[in-house]
Amino acid sequence: MHHHLSRRGLLGGASALPLVPATAFGQQREIKLGVIYDYTGPFAGGGSLASAIGTKHAIDMINERGGVEGHRLNAIYADAQSRTEVAINEMTRLLEQERVDIIMGVFSSAHCVPMAQRVNQQRRFMWANVCVASSVFKDRNLEYVFRAQVHSDQFGEASCRFVAENAQSRLGKPVRDVRVAIIYEDGPYGAGVAAGNEATARELGLRLVLKEGYAATAPDLSSLVTKLRRERPDVILHTGYNPDITLFLRQSRELGLRWRALIGHGAGYGQIDRLQQTFRQDANYIYNVDPVAAQLLNPASLAPGLGDVTAEMVRRYRAETNVTEVPPHTSMGFNQTWILLTDVLPRAIRNHGGFTPDALRQAALATDIPVGGTIQGYGVQFNPPGHPMAGQNARSTPVVMQYVDGQTKIVWPEALKTADPVLPLPAGHAYAAR
């Protein structure tokens, strides 16, 4: 129910915000942000709506503090409707008709890849908040697109390292005997994570028994489930959105597929409240690789004051949505926006004469935030021009989390761990290998 409320609040309220008259600030005292997310369609429930709410709250908080260097932020929110062509059209409208200074947001990597290319060709500035596909940047040498968020190669690597590090001690097998299956939605997001999974699995010597993609909109995954039953993987590495994850879990249950661990990689696996609503106890002990939900970190490990920022983000999200568990996507939308508005944008105005694409680009390339300097724990320094991943944050890192009795625990890496993993699935669990 709050779904529509949030959408109205985000889209309807945006333009209705009282604008400070230009005369009060003199001319050019407004920065226009074009924010694109999926407020409707399947991606909304897969994490896009949570990301959008986090983004909006960060913008609101900065405006309440007086804006950026005396400039008020005028955010124009657009709904990509979970469709690539709509995302592109909205981007064009925001750039050409609304004349926004910055394009930002974007949940789906399938939208992000073509949008980044087009914004860069037009020499406008794009700040990618949430999409993770490495292919957004890899070997494209983008000059005007930046992303502080983690990238999909890192997701694929994290889950495999977690499995390898726990193979002997918890699964009772040497790494080479751990049977791993990789399944994924076949868009840029799933394919990117799966490629990272495969590369790291081979590097670590895990036993890869199946790698198979499927369309996120597939109405039936029973043939995939049957193949998995035949291969009997210990660990299933899955990258999917929301309806497809639900379908996979339901058909696995019906067809008797079992495993010792199911590890998801963001998107639909980041929305534990939805999985629990549908599967109740059966959703217990699922793993998720994602940038960390900021509220799970110990504030003492972060720069002073960031713990208070996180607490305010959580308070606002709960007030708007009436949920208790705040998903990682909220932190992603909020954190990347906060980095842009408190680090890059002020430097552009102070040191580079304003917020033209070139000023923003120079300001971003000078970003140097140490580890612990953002609410998600990682630091920020962008790869320079000429680097294979130019524009990508070189200091970003995801974590492996596990959902245990309605709570989210960090189980990897060791440095950030808040609990030991429950591995393998306990006997008696609906999906536990017998």
Side-chain angles (χ1 to χ4, degrees), residues 89-425:
N89 289 342
E90 285 299 285
M91 177 201 82
T92 304
R93 179 180 69 82
L94 289 168
L95 288 172
E96 293 177 5
Q97 290 170 33
E98 301 287 354
R99 305 296 301 167
V100 298
D101 300 296
I102 297 171
I103 286 285
M104 60 188 289
V106 195
F107 170 76
S108 164
S109 294
H111 303 173
C112 210
V113 172
M115 284 171 67
Q117 287 285 88
R118 295 205 189 184
V119 173
N120 197 66
Q121 277 162 4
Q122 295 176 36
R123 303 179 79 82
R124 305 293 286 274
F125 189 86
M126 176 170 162
W127 185 263
N129 287 53
V130 183
C131 62
V132 299
S134 302
S135 58
V136 174
F137 291 95
K138 199 173 276 176
D139 300 323
R140 294 184 194 266
N141 213 16
L142 301 178
E143 292 180 275
Y144 295 95
V145 183
F146 290 86
R147 178 170 65 186
Q149 166 76 308
V150 307
H151 61 94
S152 56
D153 288 357
Q154 297 176 305
F155 278 64
E157 184 180 347
S159 50
C160 292
R161 292 204 181 278
F162 165 73
V163 170
E165 284 174 27
N166 287 282
Q168 195 67 61
S169 58
R170 296 183 187 276
L171 294 174
K173 292 183 169 190
V175 173
R176 67 175 182 276
D177 290 345
V178 178
R179 300 173 70 84
V180 172
I182 300 168
I183 60 172
Y184 58 99
E185 66 83 23
D186 59 10
Y189 175 58
V193 175
N197 281 147
E198 182 177 17
T200 311
R202 293 195 188 286
E203 178 200 326
L204 298 172
L206 289 159
R207 189 167 168 195
L208 195 53
V209 296
L210 182 73
K211 181 186 178 214
E212 188 158 320
Y214 60 86
T217 51
D220 180 24
L221 293 174
S222 57
S223 65
L224 175 61
V225 171
T226 302
K227 279 185 198 170
L228 286 163
R229 271 194 68 184
R230 201 164 53 230
E231 296 298 345
R232 302 187 327 283
D234 296 302
V235 179
I236 296 176
L237 305 176
H238 186 192
T239 307
Y241 283 112
N242 185 260
D244 56 319
I245 293 173
T246 302
L247 183 63
F248 170 71
L249 288 171
R250 188 169 287 135
Q251 293 193 317
S252 294
R253 180 93 200 251
E254 287 163 7
L255 297 169
L257 175 63
R258 306 273 183 263
W259 49 74
R260 299 175 83 187
L262 172 64
I263 306 179
H265 300 85
Y269 281 105
Q271 304 291 303
I272 187 55
D273 51 335
R274 286 172 171 266
L275 290 173
Q276 282 172 333
Q277 275 164 19
T278 311
F279 296 100
R280 313 249 174 250
Q281 277 305 302
D282 295 356
N284 213 5
Y285 308 121
I286 285 175
Y287 293 91
N288 178 38
V289 180
D290 241 339
V292 73
Q295 70 273 12
L296 302 179
L297 293 177
N298 176 357
S301 68
L302 304 176
L306 287 180
D308 297 336
V309 173
T310 299
E312 180 60 14
M313 174 194 77
V314 168
R315 187 192 70 72
R316 290 182 187 226
Y317 187 82
R318 286 179 173 156
E320 178 151 348
T321 62
N322 301 318
V323 302
T324 46
E325 278 289 291
V326 180
H329 286 99
T330 310
S331 293
M332 292 178 227
F334 185 101
N335 187 36
Q336 313 333 324
T337 306
W338 199 255
I339 293 163
L340 173 68
L341 301 182
T342 62
D343 183 89
V344 178
L345 200 42
R347 183 182 307 110
I349 294 167
R350 280 199 308 266
N351 299 359
H352 303 288
F355 39 90
T356 63
D358 280 299
L360 289 163
R361 176 175 179 269
Q362 288 175 282
L365 288 170
T367 293
D368 185 6
I369 300 174
V371 172
T374 70
I375 63 162
Q376 290 184 284
Y378 52 73
V380 187
Q381 186 169 48
F382 295 106
N383 292 321
H387 188 283
M389 291 285 286
Q392 168 65 37
N393 180 13
R395 293 179 182 165
S396 58
T397 110
V399 299
V400 181
M401 294 170 269
Q402 187 176 32
Y403 301 122
V404 181
D405 301 328
Q407 293 192 308
T408 309
K409 310 288 187 188
I410 301 171
V411 295
W412 185 92
E414 286 291 325
L416 295 175
K417 203 161 92 165
T418 61
D420 286 323
V422 177
L423 183 69
L425 275 181

Side-chain angles (χ1 to χ4, degrees), residues 41-105:
F43 296 156
S48 190
L49 193 60
S51 308
I53 294 170
T55 297
K56 179 179 182 291
H57 290 164
I59 293 168
D60 290 348
M61 283 167 66
I62 294 295
N63 269 337
E64 287 161 23
R65 294 178 174 199
V68 179
E69 300 286 315
H71 297 71
R72 184 194 158 69
L73 302 167
N74 175 13
I76 300 163
Y77 299 92
D79 182 6
Q81 301 173 27
S82 303
R83 289 158 53 201
T84 304
E85 69 281 7
V86 177
I88 300 274
N89 289 342
E90 285 299 285
M91 177 201 82
T92 304
R93 179 180 69 82
L94 289 168
L95 288 172
E96 293 177 5
Q97 290 170 33
E98 301 287 354
R99 305 296 301 167
V100 298
D101 300 296
I102 297 171
I103 286 285
M104 60 188 289

